Amino acid sequence: MTNIYEYNEANMEKAAQTIKNGGLVAFPTDTVYGLGADVYNPAAVAGIFSAKGRPTFDPLISHIAEIDFLPEYAVTDSRVMDLARHFWPGPLTFVLKRKDRNHALDMVCSGLPNIAVRMPDHPIALELIKKSGTPIAAPSANKFKSISPTTAHHVYNSLGDKVDMILDGGRCAVGVETTIIDLTTKEIVILRAGGLSRETLEAYTGEKIALSNGNPDKPSAPGQLLKHYAPSHKLRINVTTPQEGEFYIGFGDTPNAQLNLSPRGDLREAAANLFAYLRFADQQSNFSGIAIAPVPENDLGLAINDRIRRASYAE
Ligand code: TXA
Ligand code: MG
């Protein structure tokens, strides 16, 4: 008996009640599964940090279900609203100035003057937020620094009964986390590469958009930590010739691969498969390491390379 619940009306009611009562509900989004709690309940939000083993100085993203709610929740202007109308719901998170010093939100924001907000493109996530009647704070539903979950079973394997309910919505379509952009400055900066490509953002805004290189010792996003998303096996990247004993994850034409992120070289397909394949490879006890073939740096390749570079970082 697990705490995984299939999608139906009764379970959605139960999940919304759990959020309202200050519990933790893991739920599917377009990108990865999130570990959710009521943003206005600091004790519930503290429960997210403790279930993940995540330091409380790493702020969380608030998930909302209606664009019109955004100006009530954070400081907005026409640029922000225009981007929201164009890209939401979708794999894009905004970092905005906080509206007022509502101290109930200090825990979600780790005391920072800014708040991260997004609207996920997933019917179960949107329904849960609406039924709960509150924005939902949610990081990826996995142990801190480990591989992000793209199925309900990944969540269960990582967090087990530390979460009250896991809503099953099948596999996440995008497979890597949202792109996070800082909209508190005149120029838009990407704080974390993710499911919405830099090219798509640049094409829409007509601006060149910089990618923050972050300060790994003082990350404004934990995704900026040098070691993150890590399997327990040793991981090597940009490998064309795997070594004896390595589980080889290919991309494109890689005939000797055990698994291939996308045999036809499609970066979106590769992003969707990435975390599940890393998990699978990590579970193979008859291999001593994992090697990944080169993945181009364009489009979703930016996010893929960001994740595997951090996952391969040797402390
Ligand atoms: O796709 C996603 O974004 C998933 C799903 C569940 O929505 N969530 C996710 O959350 O990846 P998490 O906690 O693993 O990463 C959220 C990132 C963190 O790197 C955090 O530091 C950054 O958002 N963040 C949150 N609030 C911030 C703020 N006020 N300023 C700068 N970065 C912030
Ligand atoms: Mg995460």
Side-chain angles (χ1 to χ4, degrees), residues 247-251 254 256-262 276-278 280-281:
F247 187 100
Y248 190 35
I249 300 179
F251 175 81
T254 326
N256 50 341
Q258 265 82 26
L259 275 177
N260 196 320
L261 291 171
S262 173
Y277 285 11
L278 273 176
F280 180 84

Side-chain angles (χ1 to χ4, degrees), residues 165-241:
M165 288 181 76
I166 302 168
L167 286 173
D168 194 347
R171 283 183 47 160
C172 300
V174 177
V176 291
E177 297 86 344
T178 51
T179 298
I180 303 179
I181 55 175
D182 189 348
L183 293 176
T184 65
T185 49
K186 191 164 163 288
E187 252 119 66
I188 300 173
V189 176
I190 296 180
L191 298 177
R192 175 179 74 185
L196 187 81
S197 74
R198 164 152 70 175
E199 291 89 331
T200 305
L201 270 172
E202 287 181 339
Y204 182 69
T205 61
E207 288 173 39
K208 270 249 150 270
I209 298 182
L211 183 65
S212 155
N213 44 14
N215 173 352
D217 295 326
K218 210 171 159 283
S220 59
Q224 289 173 351
L225 291 168
L226 282 176
K227 185 169 181 67
H228 203 75
Y229 314 105
S232 47
H233 273 116
K234 185 172 176 296
L235 174 69
R236 295 193 309 128
I237 59 175
N238 288 319
V239 174
T240 45
T241 317

Side-chain angles (χ1 to χ4, degrees), residues 95-113:
V95 170
L96 303 170
K97 291 205 167 65
R98 280 169 71 175
K99 183 94 174 174
D100 47 38
R101 299 301 290 184
N102 179 343
H103 290 294
L105 293 177
D106 283 349
M107 184 64 83
V108 176
C109 299
S110 301
L112 296 173

Side-chain angles (χ1 to χ4, degrees), residues 31 34 54 59 61 63 114 116 118 139-140 177-178 180 192 220-223:
T31 55
R54 168 166 166 157
I61 298 172
H63 295 64
N114 299 333
R118 86 176 197 97
S140 50
E177 297 86 344
T178 51
I180 303 179
R192 175 179 74 185
S220 59

